[in-house]
Amino acid sequence: MFMSMSLNSWSDALAQWLPLGLPVGLVIIAALPLVFIALYALTYGVYGERKISAFMQDRLGPMEVGKWGLLQTIADILKLLQKEDIVNRDADKFLFVIGPGILFVGSFLAFAVLPFGPAFIGADLNVGVFYAIGIVALEVVGILAAGWGSNNKWALYGAIRSVAQIVSYEIPAAIAILCGAMMAGTLSMQQFNLLQQGENGFMSFFLFQNPIAWLPFLIYFIASLAETNRAPFDIPEAESELVAGYFTEYSGMKFAVIFLAEYGSMFMVSAIISVVFLGGWNSPLPNIGTVLLNDWTTGPVWGAFWIIMKGFFFIFIQMWLRWTLPRLRVDQLMYLCWKVLTPFAFIAFVLTAVWEIYMK
């Protein structure tokens, strides 16, 4: 605990900043992830995905607004701001309005335990990973509220599909994370990073320290695609079957908040897999003789750089798969979860336990 407190010097100092007795520092700490989500969603999330998808499908993508279409995202924001905020006459107005809010809160609260470097983490909880995967699941309530409150059969079908998908895939995802917790002997996300430090760079990461680790790593990555409704698991919003699924009736800023929550969840699950298996904010570069690459690329600023870059890498993979693979059917999706991923997750759990107890 002492080591953790000394590492979180920036966030601790900021939290104690009380001008005129007001907790301004705590407000800033809470606002930082919100600013990060907004900036990343508008740049890499929206504009980047359009350009990446256009490149993969041999198209141009946005080109008209600004040089290389750089201002297209701003134009989209202005368009959304001008759109009328429509609520159906027969909708459950309370559920319809709070649905997008719950979705975003579930994604945003998880950032409280995400270490953005050796010197900055909102709250270094002893059960950090457990809290993160638990609070992200809150979005299930938001999706169900949005689908039911819309009073639209397509929205309700999409919501039920999404809830069934997320709840099902949480089981193999949680078991895969437990494998990482067994390797670390802790649930603190900051401690995960500390245990993967070393001058050997990426060779100190859990993915390369345990011969079984690749299996829970792969299982969690596949399950995280389903939990964020990304292709090939995007049947909740399947536009060719359900128009747009649970957010069919949403327009304007409510529609934007739903997508902001999706991009927030994409980064959060990418950060979790990076922290648990790939060293989190640790540098992947090793020291080679007198060339101290690891030492030169370690520190608070470098830590934030590495965790964000690792998160962006997995988001790129998510985008790549979206524009490459066809959508699964419902029966194929459930078969993959219950008859493939879940049994293999249990196998990985047992093998990891055997390795950690008898072989390590």
Side-chain angles (χ1 to χ4, degrees):
M1 188 64 183
F2 172 77
M3 179 182 292
S4 177
M5 288 297 290
S6 63
L7 280 171
N8 301 327
S9 54
W10 290 6
S11 54
D12 290 339
L14 194 54
Q16 294 168 10
W17 186 40
L18 303 168
L20 303 175
L22 300 174
V24 177
L26 286 175
V27 174
I28 293 175
I29 289 178
L32 284 177
L34 183 61
V35 174
F36 171 75
I37 293 173
L39 290 177
Y40 127 75
L42 295 177
T43 54
Y44 186 41
V46 177
Y47 179 77
E49 180 158 22
R50 283 178 168 178
K51 281 296 186 183
I52 290 170
S53 62
F55 175 76
M56 289 179 177
Q57 298 188 352
D58 197 20
R59 295 187 292 179
L60 289 177
M63 291 291 289
E64 299 297 327
V65 188
K67 190 173 180 60
W68 303 309
L70 285 169
L71 300 178
Q72 182 63 53
T73 308
I74 296 175
D76 289 340
I77 294 172
L78 294 175
K79 181 181 71 176
L80 286 172
L81 287 171
Q82 295 177 71
K83 278 194 172 183
E84 185 180 1
D85 184 20
I86 300 172
V87 180
N88 292 340
R89 183 191 61 191
D90 298 326
D92 185 320
K93 294 182 175 52
F94 177 71
L95 293 179
F96 187 81
V97 171
I98 67 168
I102 297 175
L103 264 168
F104 183 73
V105 166
S107 169
F108 179 62
L109 288 180
F111 280 77
V113 295
L114 178 62
F116 273 95
F120 193 89
I121 179 173
D124 183 16
L125 301 181
N126 292 332
V127 291
V129 175
F130 179 72
Y131 167 84
I133 60 176
I135 203 71
V136 167
L138 185 65
E139 66 181 4
V140 168
V141 180
I143 291 171
L144 202 54
W148 183 269
S150 296
N151 194 23
N152 176 306
K153 61 182 179 181
W154 307 120
L156 184 59
Y157 287 155
I160 293 173
R161 278 184 174 190
S162 184
V163 170
Q165 174 177 309
I166 292 174
V167 171
S168 299
Y169 275 83
E170 276 179 358
I171 294 172
I175 297 172
I177 291 296
L178 277 178
C179 295
M182 273 196 292
M183 288 183 262
T186 179
L187 290 173
S188 164
M189 295 188 78
Q190 193 67 294
Q191 291 297 325
F192 268 95
N193 291 277
L194 295 173
L195 292 167
Q196 297 177 80
Q197 279 185 319
E199 63 179 16
N200 293 324
F202 68 91
M203 291 304 294
S204 300
F205 299 166
F206 285 153
L207 183 61
F208 304 101
Q209 288 289 312
N210 185 320
I212 313 299
W214 66 270
L215 184 54
F217 170 81
L218 188 61
I219 290 171
Y220 181 77
F221 178 71
I222 296 173
S224 69
L225 291 176
E227 289 195 78
T228 52
N229 292 332
R230 298 292 294 185
F233 305 101
D234 60 339
I235 60 169
E237 62 184 76
E239 72 280 357
S240 57
E241 307 162 46
L242 298 177
V243 188
Y246 62 88
F247 53 84
T248 299
E249 298 293 342
Y250 284 93
S251 62
M253 289 309 295
K254 290 191 183 73
F255 179 81
V257 170
I258 290 173
F259 268 86
L260 203 61
E262 179 176 323
Y263 283 118
S265 295
M266 285 170 63
F267 183 83
M268 192 62 212
V269 296
S270 300
I272 289 175
I273 196 172
S274 301
V275 169
V276 175
F277 295 104
L278 288 172
W281 43 255
N282 288 297
S283 170
L285 303 176
N287 288 339
I288 304 173
T290 57
V291 183
L292 306 179
L293 293 175
N294 188 269
D295 295 349
W296 296 338
T297 55
T298 298
V301 178
W302 276 108
F305 172 78
W306 289 122
I307 186 71
I308 292 172
M309 286 301 106
K310 289 173 185 177
F312 281 5
F313 171 74
F314 283 106
I315 291 170
F316 170 74
I317 300 295
Q318 292 172 7
M319 293 177 179
W320 180 4
L321 294 176
R322 177 179 181 182
W323 299 100
T324 304
L325 298 179
R327 179 180 302 136
L328 293 177
R329 296 195 313 263
V330 176
D331 60 312
Q332 293 171 330
L333 184 141
M334 288 301 170
Y335 178 92
L336 179 64
C337 176
W338 293 109
K339 292 191 175 181
V340 180
L341 292 185
T342 302
F344 274 102
F346 279 114
I347 292 172
F349 184 80
V350 172
L351 292 177
T352 303
V354 170
W355 174 267
E356 292 297 320
I357 296 172
Y358 298 108
M359 307 296 288
K360 190 174 178 181

